[in-house]
Structure formats: structure tokens, C-alpha cells
Amino acid sequence: MNAVLIAVLVLPALGAVALALWPGRAERAAGWFAVALSGAVFTLTLVLLNGRRDDGTWHEVDVAWIPSLDVRLHLGVDGISWPLVALTGLTFLLCALYSLRHTPEPGNPRKLLALLSILECGVFGVFMALDAVVFFVFFEVTLLPMFAVIAVWGGAGRRAAARQFLLYTLFGSVLLLVGVVAAMISRGSADLLEWAAAPAEWSGRGQIAVFVVLLIAFAVKSPLWPLHSWLPDAHTEAPTVGSVVLAAVLLKMGTYGLVRVALPAAPEGARALAPVLGALAVAAIVVAGLVCLASTELKRLIAYSSVGHMGFVLLGIATLSVPGIQAALFGNIAHGVLTGLLFFLVGAVKDRYGTGELDRLGGIATVSPLLAGVLGFAAVGSLGLPGLAGFWGEAFAVVAAVDRGGFFTGLGVVAALGAALAAAYFLRLLRRTTVGPPGSAVVADARGVDAFEAAAWAPLVLLALVFGLAPDLLLSLTVAPVEALVAVVNP
């Protein structure tokens, strides 16, 4: 399986080189090449499920990279990382399929797909890294490709949105580097497995300082209120595939980093600052809900809803309990599936109407009943309807907070009220877009759902149903590694 791990990481990078050198006159062939390559990589991520164990790392590669600095290319997957690796593979496959028919101006699907392949390589590296230096390197690899996707293929305000994205993420990157170096010096190792195997035995104040730095770094990427302001602009201006990748996998790098890096690096700091993280997470849920109720643009509304959903994920992490962290990991996947689907659907709406303004939309069900139906499915899934994937992560994050008691009980109650806000703004969205009389926007394209759109939507609809009806498919993977982590972080 070591060869499979390496192949998952290397094939997207090789694909990016091939696409960059592809003859410009064969754009269509380049698109199908990207689909085939993404399909092969996704299949390899599923192969990694073979040989899964209840505890420990399933598959691992550990070779010397920079011997003079004792840095090793240490990669692996376990029950915490594999679901995100598989989600990453699926997301980029669906984006490649979608791009065969839907490439934003100024065109050049070959170049867009090359950037997405580099981005895929970076995201895989983050989720598979078991060395802090390797984690940081791949975290940085994702920065410039996403910046270019927004800046070149985005909307009218793309340059300002891309600059804001770059400035925020560079700020987070500097803090991440400081935190990782401080933790490596204090722990005497860069090995993340060693960090998670035993409690840190260094100064409590030092741990608090390191956890603060790492928390801010990962909060920018999550994003956590009040460091979220780059996200709505980035989502609003990004092309459809950029918004899907951003929602489905890039935001998960922040919450995953908290679990994989920050908690084991400075467990005493995590315990001291857990109430602060919980309070900020609940503030994100409430503030995002109120903003969504006042939002008048479809993409911006979905973007702010992501801030609220990730607030539930962060609340689960803040409990430092097995149910809470499991809820957070489940919520990560559910958000990736449902919000990724929502951004595909918003792209379809804007393709047809030429706008995302709620005041100009309406009556979509009369023009495209299938589009309206899938949009309704994704919206009720995102608001947490029982039986769909969005329910379990948010519900059990609230339960975990209440079970912890004290201050966290109040946080759980407020978070539950925030979930009611989600129901209100998603139902408002559906009322303004799918039902009622047609809006003032002219339907530029009255066609039905095409094959490429259906191919991009169908797997996400299926996963939302499967994980909603059988949540143990994911929870069974995470329970053992989460129990081991909590035993170290919160003994």
C-alpha cells in the first residue's frame, strides 16, 4: 500500500505538468485526460480502505527527506484522515467532470485543470502528512493555485477577493510556521504520531502560547469568526469549481489541523483555551445565521452558511471529548458533501439566470423542476434535517457540549438556537428562488439539467443520503483514533 500512498500524492502533480504542456489545440482531450486521471486517483483513495484497522495508522510511508534537518517524508492514513482523503479525490473528480462543459471565462480549461491538479496534490499532502514540516509545506502548496483560480476565472470583483484571500492565508501561514517550529523545539521531534502518543511535558504557559498561535493560524483557514471575512468574497467571486473545492476540502484543512496538529502539540493549552474556542464557535454560528437572514445574494448566503456550519465543527472540537470530536469529523464530511453540492447548484442557477440576486430570482421550479428539487434537497440537508448527513454532526456537537456541563451547556443551548436560524434562512432561500412567480431575471438558458451537471451532483446526493441513514459508516472509522487522541489531550 506504500506505493498507493505515493501514487495518490504524485499522480495529480504529474497530471498538472502534463496539462500545462498539453497542446492548446486539444483542449477537449485535455479535459477528458483530467477526468481519467482524477478518476484513477479517486479509485486509489478507495483502495486505501483495504487493510483498515481499528487503531493506529493503516498505511504509512516514512523515508528520509532532509537528513541534515532530521525532516522525513512521513505520510499515512488512518480513521481520522482517510475520509477527508477520499472526499478530496471525489471532489476533484466531480470538478473535472463539470469543467468539461462549464468552464468560466476567459476559458482555458486546460490551465484551470492544471491548477486544480496542483491544488489536489497539496490537499492530499496536508491530509496524509505525519510530519509537522511536511504538513506545513503542503499547507502552503494550496495557497497560490487557489489564488490564481479566483484571480483569473472569478467574477467582476475577483482581483480584490483574491488579494484578500492571499493576505489572510499568508497571515495564517506565518503563524502556522511559528507554532510548528515552537512545538517541534519543545517536543524534540516533528513526528505527529509521537506528539499524539504521549502528553507534552513542557511549560503550561508555553503550551498556551503555542496553542494560541496554532489556533489563530487554523482559525483563518476554517474560518472561525471573526477571521472569516475573506471567505464570503472569495466564494462570491470564485468560479463554480473554485467555490466547490473551497467549501468541500480547503476549509477542512483548518479544522483537521486543529485535531491532527494543535491538540496533540499543546494539550494543556487546548484544555485552557477550550472555553474560548467554544465561545467563538458559537458566536460564528449565531452571527453567520443572522447575516444569512439578511443576505440578498445566493453565493454569499451559502458562503456565510459555511461559517455557521464550521462553527458546529469547532464547537465539537472545543469539547475535547470523544463524542464532540467525532461529531466534528462527521460534520466536516457532511459539510463538504452538502455545501459542495449547493455551490454546484448555485453555479447552475447563475448559468441560467445570469444572476444570484434573490430579488431577481423566483419560479425556478417552473423552468427547471429537477434543478429546483435538488436545490431543495441540498438546502434541507444543510439545515440539518434528520435522515440526511447534515443532521448528525451538528446535533451531536450540541449534545457533546451539553454533556460536558457548566459553561459548555450554555454554549450548546445557544448553538441549538443557531441551528434554528439555519432552518429559517434556508427556507427563505427556497421560497425566494424555487417557488412563487418568476423573478425579473431573464432565463438565459432554459435547457434542462445536462449530463455533466447530473454527473457532478448525483454522487453528492447519494452520499448525503447514505451518511444520513447510516452514520456509523463514518463514525466507526473515527472512534478508535479519537479515543486515543482524547486520552492524551484530555486525560
Side-chain angles (χ1 to χ4, degrees):
M1 287 295 173
N2 290 357
V4 177
L5 272 178
I6 295 297
V8 167
L9 186 64
V10 170
L11 283 178
L14 295 178
V17 174
L19 288 166
L21 299 175
W22 202 279
R25 61 183 178 277
E27 294 280 359
R28 188 71 172 174
W32 281 110
F33 168 78
V35 170
L37 183 68
S38 299
V41 171
F42 174 57
T43 302
L44 291 177
T45 67
L46 299 181
V47 170
L48 291 173
L49 191 59
N50 184 35
R52 56 168 283 201
R53 301 188 296 164
D54 289 336
D55 58 354
T57 304
W58 302 353
H59 311 292
E60 189 174 355
V61 171
D62 188 7
V63 296
W65 182 21
I66 310 176
S68 59
L69 298 178
D70 194 27
V71 175
R72 306 186 66 80
L73 184 63
H74 194 183
L75 307 170
V77 292
D78 61 5
I80 291 175
S81 60
W82 180 82
L84 289 168
V85 170
L87 178 63
T88 299
L90 176 62
T91 299
F92 281 94
L93 170 59
L94 299 183
C95 287
L97 271 170
Y98 185 85
S99 296
L100 287 173
R101 175 70 181 270
H102 303 275
T103 301
E105 293 298 332
N108 295 319
R110 175 176 54 87
K111 294 180 180 178
L112 175 61
L113 291 167
L115 287 170
L116 290 179
S117 293
I118 298 171
L119 193 56
E120 183 179 22
C121 175
V123 176
F124 277 137
V126 168
F127 293 146
M128 295 195 300
L130 295 177
D131 181 280
V133 175
V134 175
F135 179 92
F136 174 77
V137 169
F138 281 108
F139 203 91
E140 295 309 291
V141 167
T142 65
L143 175 57
L144 289 180
M146 193 67 223
F147 168 80
V149 168
I150 298 171
V152 176
W153 286 273
R158 59 186 181 274
R159 297 190 185 279
R163 283 195 299 269
Q164 189 178 28
F165 167 81
L166 185 64
L167 289 174
Y168 266 90
T169 48
L170 281 175
F171 168 69
S173 296
V174 171
L175 292 180
L176 178 59
L177 178 61
V178 172
V180 163
V181 170
M184 287 169 52
I185 293 172
S186 302
R187 297 299 297 255
S189 168
D191 194 307
L192 298 180
L193 294 183
E194 290 183 17
W195 292 10
E201 298 179 354
W202 46 295
S203 160
R205 289 183 178 179
Q207 288 198 43
I208 291 173
V210 168
F211 188 79
V212 166
V213 171
L214 291 173
L215 173 59
I216 296 173
F218 291 129
V220 170
K221 202 73 171 181
S222 297
L224 177 63
W225 181 88
L227 299 173
H228 68 288
S229 61
W230 63 268
L231 182 67
D233 289 338
H235 267 312
T236 301
E237 301 301 335
T240 296
V241 291
S243 292
V244 171
V245 168
L246 193 57
V249 295
L250 285 194
L251 300 190
K252 312 306 176 287
M253 290 165 50
T255 51
Y256 176 80
L258 277 173
V259 173
R260 180 65 83 193
V261 178
L263 295 186
E268 191 172 332
R271 293 195 296 272
L273 292 168
V276 176
L277 175 57
L280 291 174
V282 170
I285 295 168
V286 174
V287 171
L290 294 174
V291 172
C292 285
L293 282 174
S295 292
T296 61
E297 204 280 332
L298 198 51
K299 266 189 125 177
R300 201 167 188 85
L301 189 155
I302 303 301
Y304 268 107
S305 77
S306 288
V307 176
H309 290 314
M310 299 311 289
F312 282 100
V313 172
L314 291 161
L315 175 62
I317 295 172
T319 66
L320 301 182
S321 65
V322 173
I325 295 178
Q326 276 203 283
L329 296 174
F330 191 99
N332 261 342
I333 301 299
H335 175 265
V337 169
L338 286 164
T339 307
L341 176 59
L342 277 170
F343 276 114
F344 271 131
L345 296 168
V346 170
V349 170
K350 296 188 77 169
D351 283 347
R352 287 159 174 77
Y353 286 83
T355 182
E357 291 295 328
L358 295 180
D359 290 340
R360 300 188 60 203
L361 296 172
I364 292 177
T366 63
V367 177
S368 181
L370 180 56
L371 172 58
V374 180
L375 181 59
F377 173 88
V380 298
S382 292
L383 65 82
L385 183 73
L388 297 178
F391 171 75
W392 298 104
E394 296 186 3
F396 282 100
V398 172
V399 170
V402 172
D403 283 348
R404 177 160 174 177
F407 177 65
F408 275 87
T409 298
L411 294 181
V413 171
V414 177
L417 296 175
L421 286 176
Y425 63 71
F426 272 118
L427 292 175
R428 169 178 171 265
L429 179 154
L430 293 177
R431 180 179 63 82
R432 298 282 292 274
T433 58
T434 62
V435 299
S440 62
V442 176
V443 181
D445 186 350
R447 74 183 189 280
V449 174
D450 64 47
F452 298 99
E453 289 173 328
W457 304 349
L460 300 177
V461 170
L462 180 62
L463 286 178
L465 281 168
V466 169
F467 291 148
L469 297 173
D472 199 52
L473 290 174
L474 281 179
L475 295 174
S476 62
L477 299 177
T478 59
V479 60
V482 169
E483 286 176 345
L485 176 66
V486 170
V488 172
V489 173
N490 197 26

